[in-house]
């Protein structure tokens, strides 16, 4: 049970508190930390509520989203590109989106949060107190730096999809394709598995015209590593990742 | 820490731990409407509050987060105790059924209409996306929002959009406000958890980590020393009484194969020890200090493994019989292992527990072999269904206390009288010493037909004198509750070239899990609720039920009928394809009709010899006719997308209206001092609106407005016996008992009126509202009440009604589905679903419609998404709602309609028959047939997943 709730007034203070209590966790909305599903059960949390991190700003061709901005506020904001809205609309439900933040979703590093594939495909960056780091690097490493803001380039054409059992069920397989200044980004995440960029395939596809959707799907399926679990087989997940990502890439390439 | 916040406009300052869960904190502050359905995982939305202007889950907040915040709950939207426009619209559109999270839904919609006064369908779905509800299938919410919008402008705007029935009647068949609707949607105290008193002890259970093991030693010494621990119950100190937890009429057609605690554990999650403590923390600490040693045995999980020659045996028990013991019983018992305890059969169930056979039965009519010989075409198919969780939003819960030398049980149960009988047996005390109070039930769906946790809490209270509260977590709902039995059904049909059926055979195998609750009757229902759909002279069935080490199974809405309907309808559709006939044409050629006599029911009595049934009302033809037009049956639909294939399917279904010859309902009615009436019925309204059914029937008989009737039900001290809410008995049995009580009252009113008017009784008639008119004069009920209850009067007028019958009032229906199958992804999109059900006279039309939507959506979930999955050791892998995947509002069919097909059954109260179970029977076959029609793939196992479609299409 959480017994200590620290409320720093500044970012420096927040970082110092974390250094002083390494087991403490940063809390934005708390929808994941407080859920019995997360099984985090920290004793000390460092609330970000009193930091001035609730904003959405456009800075030329980049969008900056403060760490305390809720998912629903992002969804309701006119500055947000449709590809992000389309994905966030499928994120759990309105109550969770009213409480949860994008920074929290990133910090949870949960492959079932399909928005992560979108952010990686869009080459989104994170502002932390000490450095700027890509979302990809953050979620695929053990980095636990305090996220201050998310920077999303607006020039990317991104398309995403997910497979879940019910419409709002856990995303078992999430995919996103981004086309950014003619560079292709392909991302796959599997619940119970990992979030990964298909970099070899990206390199193979960059610079050439895209193959047809079935060939593309087959190429993706071949490079995606998967596993059987109680819900689906590895063969299904590889197949569906291929089909979904091929369709996404073709759409993204068309700038849809 | 001390926190301050605004709660419904009032400043609050409370002392709390930083990490106290806000849902629990609000309950502590007396806000009962904010409830927990999901162990604080944000799935059900029962814990919805408005936090700084936005809806969130209180269960996902900690106290420190609400310091300085503005918190609103449902209590904030009501003015002067009156329902808001949203609340009243929800009740009037039939949405407030079990009602456990109705206040939460009302808050979500209130927030929606505040930010968007004219929301679209998408907006409504988004607003309700946090809600999980099984009762009314979400669909009526769209109507309710429309009504709420109108009521916000005109508070008196009348309910619209529902068909009413029986112009000749005032209350029956009309849309009226459900009599407990206000209480539930307002979030008033209504459920067991609201009744718990200060100082009540907590009960927590140590559960088995093994699927199959003997407890070789158990040491509770250290646990008992934990301060605050009151008692610890194990197999060593519990009563040596064997019983079944199935809430069925006695003698039950289920083996008495369990004690409160057994030395042998038979599933992961089985009871090992109960700790009763003064605090949750003490109980948790004690649980950790109980030392248990096990001799682990090989488990068995499937029917095939259970019947294998070398299968591990769950119950190598000492067997006894009430009647009909076999001659070789002594020889049989020589193989018993004392550690496996005993099994008592009240009467023979053709069981062989030493070979894992819990029960069996077979029978038929005509000569099925001859029938197959005469056939031009024979089709033989096998189907399988999965273990399904009932998922009521209110978990299983009980509060027990002593009142003098009597035990009081506040229960969330479908069977208050069976509960009293079972607990009396376990405790070895007379029923007079037990008072069961059925509180409002936050969803039962069959799982609350059984004595799941009341037995152990009752024993704890009775043996210690202490009040005890025991509430399942959602996790326990998944690992130690009652579930739908998995079944394998083989159907073989023989037919002539013209489609005439010559023989039908149905072979059923079921997996009952560790205990035999409903073992015989659930799979029998696959036959008894499906074979009579067709008039075939030669029918034969077999039923075999096996013990295994999966979690317990029992009753679930529809009982065995949905599985039989899936198998039989799918096979008929395949047969139609082989014969080159239209499926509906083939069904029409063979199906039941009004006036038919169902001979097959002679051999399908539940634990007794059955009787043939005369079909006195049957809306099947009408349902097929209307549904065919709605879905444009026979027309091939094309998609613009070459990957998408569209198909249509249909299934015909039936259920029962209680169990003729077995069920029994009673009612008692009193005339009140102002001429109103108080009905006392043993019936258990579990949210379906049964109390309203009975009130309407009484009002109709006695010519009074509905407001002049109050209902007390489901209380074993204050109401007469009723078998309870199962087998779709409520409207037919309890409704008829209420009718008979009212008719008895009517005769007494007429006699008294004749006496006071000094006219012959034959000249007197009841007149609306609440008076008797003679040829010369008239007298009001209020005057009669005054006259009879003065010191010179003859005493308060009382009527009694007792209903038993051998007649069946069978509800029928047809389900039509249209699906779009994406042949590239395997995705199934349910574009249209039309459920046309004949419940006779729909007494509560808006509630009946909601129950159809709820039942169908559940069944769509069972067919497409759900099913408990165990790991190799028997531990459930999807033991929470998010991983279990029941449908939410986003899984509704795009076009979802439930027209009620009117018939008038001569035996039903004002022609009424049952409805809610029937609604679960048709989705699986209608969808399976539509999928095949779309893409050519037959799926014969639940769930119908994209992966199975793709395999069928040889894509993977």
């Amino acid at each position: 049970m959480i017994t200590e709730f620290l409320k720093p007034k500044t970012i420096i203070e927040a970082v110092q508190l974390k250094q002083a209590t390494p087991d403490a966790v940063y809390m934005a909305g708390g929808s994941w930390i407080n859920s019995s599903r997360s099984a985090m059960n920290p004793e000390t949390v460092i609330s970000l509520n009193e930091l001035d991190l609730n904003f959405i700003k456009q800075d030329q061709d980049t969008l900056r989203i403060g760490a305390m901005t809720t998912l629903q506020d992002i969804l309701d904001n006119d500055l947000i590109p449709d590809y992000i809205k389309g994905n966030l609309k499928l994120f759990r439900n309105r109550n969770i989106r009213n409480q949860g933040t994008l920074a929290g979703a990133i910090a949870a590093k949960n492959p079932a949060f399909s928005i992560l594939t979108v952010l990686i495909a869009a080459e989104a960056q994170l502002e932390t107190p000490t450095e700027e780091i890509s979302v990809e690097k953050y979620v695929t490493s053990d980095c636990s730096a305090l996220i201050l803001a998310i920077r999303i380039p607006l020039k990317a054409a991104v398309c995403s999809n997910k497979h879940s059992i019910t419409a709002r069920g856990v995303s078992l397989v999430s995919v996103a394709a981004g086309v950014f200044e003619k560079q292709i980004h392909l991302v796959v995440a599997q619940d119970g598995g990992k979030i990964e960029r298909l970099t070899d395939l990206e390199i193979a596809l960059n610079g050439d015209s895209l193959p047809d959707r079935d060939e593309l799907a087959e190429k993706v399926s071949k490079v995606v590593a998967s596993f059987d679990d109680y819900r689906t087989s590895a063969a299904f997940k590889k197949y569906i990742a291929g089909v979904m990502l091929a369709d996404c890439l073709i759409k993204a390439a068309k700038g849809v | 820490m001390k926190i301050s916040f605004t709660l419904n406009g009032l400043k609050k300052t409370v002392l709390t731990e930083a990490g106290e869960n806000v849902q629990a904190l609000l309950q502590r502050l007396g806000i009962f409407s904010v409830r927990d359905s999901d162990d604080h995982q944000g799935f059900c939305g029962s814990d919805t509050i408005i936090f700084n202007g936005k809806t969130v889950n209180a269960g996902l907040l900690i106290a420190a987060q609400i310091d300085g915040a503005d918190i609103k709950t449902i209590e904030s939207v009501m003015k002067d105790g009156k329902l808001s426009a949203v609340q009243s619209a929800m009740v009037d559109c039939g949405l407030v059924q079990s009602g456990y999270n109705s206040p939460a839904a009302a808050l979500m919609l209130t927030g929606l209409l505040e930010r968007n006064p004219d929301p679209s369908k998408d907006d409504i779905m988004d607003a309700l996306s946090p809600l999980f509800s099984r009762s009314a299938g979400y669909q009526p919410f769209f109507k309710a929002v429309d009504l709420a919008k109108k009521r916000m402008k005109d508070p008196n705007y009348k309910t619209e959009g529902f068909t009413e029935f029986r112009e000749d009647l005032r209350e029956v068949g009309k849309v009226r406000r459900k009599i407990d609707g206000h209480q539930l949607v307002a979030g008033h105290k209504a459920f067991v958890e609201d009744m718990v008193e200060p100082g009540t002890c907590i009960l927590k259970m140590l559960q088995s980590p093994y699927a199959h093991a003997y407890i070789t030693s158990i040491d509770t010494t250290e646990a008992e020393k934990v301060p605050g621990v009151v008692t610890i119950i194990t197999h060593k100190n519990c009563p040596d009484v064997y019983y079944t937890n199935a809430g069925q009429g006695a003698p039950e057609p289920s083996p008495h194969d369990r004690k409160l605690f057994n030395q042998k554990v038979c599933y992961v999650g089985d009871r090992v020890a109960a700790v009763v403590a003064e605090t949750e923390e003490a109980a948790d600490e004690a649980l950790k200090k109980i030392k248990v040693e096990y001799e682990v045995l090989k488990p068995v999980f499937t029917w095939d493994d259970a019947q294998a020659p070398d299968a591990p045996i769950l119950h190598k028990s000492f067997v006894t019989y009430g009647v009909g013991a076999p001659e070789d019983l002594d020889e049989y018992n020589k193989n018993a292992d004392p550690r496996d305890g005993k099994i008592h059969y009240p009467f023979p169930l053709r069981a062989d527990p030493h070979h894992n056979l819990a029960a069996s039965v077979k029978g038929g009519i005509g000569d099925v072999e001859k029938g197959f010989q005469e056939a031009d075409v024979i089709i033989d198919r096998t189907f399988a269904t999965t273990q399904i969780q009932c998922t009521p939003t209110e978990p299983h819960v009980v509060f027990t206390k002593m009142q003098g030398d009597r035990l009081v049980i506040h229960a969330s149960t479908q069977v208050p009288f069976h509960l009293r009988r079972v607990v009396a047996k376990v405790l070895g005390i007379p029923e007079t010493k037990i008072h069961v109070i059925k509180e409002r039930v936050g969803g039962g769906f069959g799982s609350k037909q059984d004595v799941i946790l009341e037995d152990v809490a009752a024993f704890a209270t009775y043996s210690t004198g202490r009040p005890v509260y025991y509430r399942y977590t959602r996790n326990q709902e998944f690992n130690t509750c009652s579930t739908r039995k998995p079944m394998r059904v083989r159907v073989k049909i023989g037919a002539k070239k013209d489609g005439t059926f010559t023989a039908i055979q149905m072979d059923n195998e079921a997996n009952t899990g560790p205990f035999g609750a409903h073992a015989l009757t659930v799979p029998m229902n696959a036959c008894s609720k499906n074979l009579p759909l067709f008039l075939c002279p030669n029918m034969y069935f077999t039923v075999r039920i096996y013990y295994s080490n999966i979690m317990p199974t029992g009753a679930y809405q529809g009982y065995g009928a949905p599985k039989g309907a899936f198998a039989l309808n799918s096979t008929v559709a395949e047969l139609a394809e082989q014969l080159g006939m239209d499926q509906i044409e083939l069904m029409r050629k063979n199906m039941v009709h009004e006036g038919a006599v169902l001979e097959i029911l002679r051999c399908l009595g539940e634990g007794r010899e059955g009787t043939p049934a005369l079909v006195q009302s049957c809306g099947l033809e009408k349902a097929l006719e209307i549904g065919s037009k709605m879905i444009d049956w026979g027309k091939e639909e094309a998609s613009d997308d070459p990957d998408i294939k569209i198909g249509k399917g249909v299934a015909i279904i039936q259920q029962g209206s209680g169990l003729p010859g077995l069920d029994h309902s009673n009612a008692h009615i009193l005339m009140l001092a102002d001429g109103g009436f108080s009905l006392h019925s043993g019936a258990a309204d579990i949210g379906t609106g049964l109390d309203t059914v009975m009130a309407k029937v009484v009002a109709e008989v006695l010519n009074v407005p509905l407001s002049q009737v109050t209902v007390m039900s489901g209380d074993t001290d204050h109401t007469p016996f009723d078998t309870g809410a199962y087998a779709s008995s409520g409207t037919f049995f309890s409704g008829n008992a209420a009718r008979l009580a009212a008719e008895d009252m009517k005769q007494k009113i007429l006699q008294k009126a004749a006496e006071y008017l000094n006219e012959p009784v034959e000249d007197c008639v009841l007149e609306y509202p609440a008076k008797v008119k003679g040829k010369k004069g008239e007298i009001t009920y209020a005057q009669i009440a005054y006259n009879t209850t003065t010191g010179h009067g003859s005493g308060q007028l009382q009527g009694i009604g007792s209903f038993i019958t051998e007649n069946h009032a069978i509800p029928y229906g047809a389900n039509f589905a249209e699906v779009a199958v994406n042949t590239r992804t395997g995705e199934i999109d349910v574009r249209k679903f039309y459920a046309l059900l004949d419940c006779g006279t729909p007494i509560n039309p808006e509630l009946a419609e909601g129950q159809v939507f709820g039942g169908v959506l559940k069944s769509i979930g069972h067919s497409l998404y759900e099913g408990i999955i165990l790991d190799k050791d028997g531990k459930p892998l999807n033991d929470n709602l998010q991983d279990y995947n029941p449908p939410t509002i986003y899984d509704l069919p795009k076009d979802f309609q439930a027209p009620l097909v009117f018939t008038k059954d001569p035996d039903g109260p004002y022609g009424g028959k049952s409805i809610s179970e029937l609604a679960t029977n048709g989705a699986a076959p209608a969808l399976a047939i539509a999928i095949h029609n779309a893409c050519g793939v037959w799926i014969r196992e639940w769930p119908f997943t994209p992966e199975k479609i793709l395999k069928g299409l040889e894509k993977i």
Side-chain angles (χ1 to χ4, degrees), chain B residues 384-441:
Chain B
T385 65
T386 49
Q387 189 173 19
I388 302 286
Q389 230 290 329
C390 297
T391 63
T393 45
E394 177 203 36
H396 285 71
V397 60
V398 67
F399 167 49
T400 50
K401 65 181 181 185
M402 294 304 296
Q403 207 161 51
D405 66 345
R406 298 187 77 218
L407 175 69
V408 180
I409 304 174
H410 294 267
S412 178
T413 180
Q414 299 175 220
V415 287
F417 291 88
H418 294 336
L419 171 60
R420 181 175 68 174
R421 188 191 74 239
V422 170
V423 169
K425 177 184 167 97
V426 173
L427 269 52
I429 60 176
E431 291 190 18
T432 52
K433 296 294 179 192
I434 301 173
H435 178 192
V436 175
I437 304 166
K438 180 205 74 74
E439 306 294 354
R440 292 290 108 184
V441 176

Side-chain angles (χ1 to χ4, degrees), chain A residues 1-5 7 27-32 34-38 45 47 49 70 72-73 75-76 89-90 92-99 113 163-170 172 191 213-214 217 230-237 239-240 242-244 246-247 250, chain B residues 1 17-21 38-43 45 47-49 51 54-57 59-62 64-65 67 108 115 122 126-127 129-131 641 643 823-826 864-866 869 877-878 880 882-888 890-891 945-947 950-951 955-956:
Chain A
M1 187 183 197
I2 294 165
T3 53
E4 204 170 7
F5 189 80
K7 296 193 281 186
M27 178 187 277
S31 61
W32 178 244
N34 294 336
S35 166
S36 62
R37 191 174 174 80
S38 80
V45 296
S47 169
N49 199 38
T70 66
Q72 189 62 42
D73 282 346
L75 194 52
D76 292 341
K89 204 171 176 206
L90 299 173
R92 297 288 305 274
N93 61 58
R94 192 179 184 92
N95 280 7
I96 303 278
R97 294 195 304 267
N98 275 335
Q99 186 182 352
F113 293 171
H163 170 76
S164 55
I165 293 174
T166 54
R168 295 304 177 100
V170 174
L172 303 182
D191 183 41
R213 65 170 198 174
D214 292 340
Y230 68 92
R231 300 163 295 195
T232 54
S233 68
F236 173 77
K237 278 185 277 206
Y239 173 88
I240 206 72
V243 166
M244 290 194 302
D247 289 353
I250 289 166
Chain B
M1 69 184 289
E17 292 281 348
E20 182 175 8
N21 189 282
D38 53 24
D39 297 349
H40 302 144
Q41 293 199 352
F43 188 88
D47 54 348
T48 295
I49 58 171
F51 172 59
K54 293 180 178 176
T55 59
V56 298
N57 299 105
L60 295 179
L61 286 169
I62 57 170
Q65 286 180 283
D67 192 18
M108 292 171 200
R115 65 179 177 269
D122 274 353
D126 178 62
S129 59
L131 186 75
D641 184 339
D643 293 328
T823 54
R824 192 152 178 263
T825 63
L864 300 182
Y865 317 124
E866 299 177 43
I869 301 168
L877 290 162
N878 49 349
N880 61 78
Q882 209 171 328
D883 290 320
Y884 180 71
N885 282 299
T888 66
Y890 278 92
D891 301 298
T945 61
E947 185 163 356
L950 293 172
K951 280 182 178 163
K955 296 271 176 91
I956 54 173

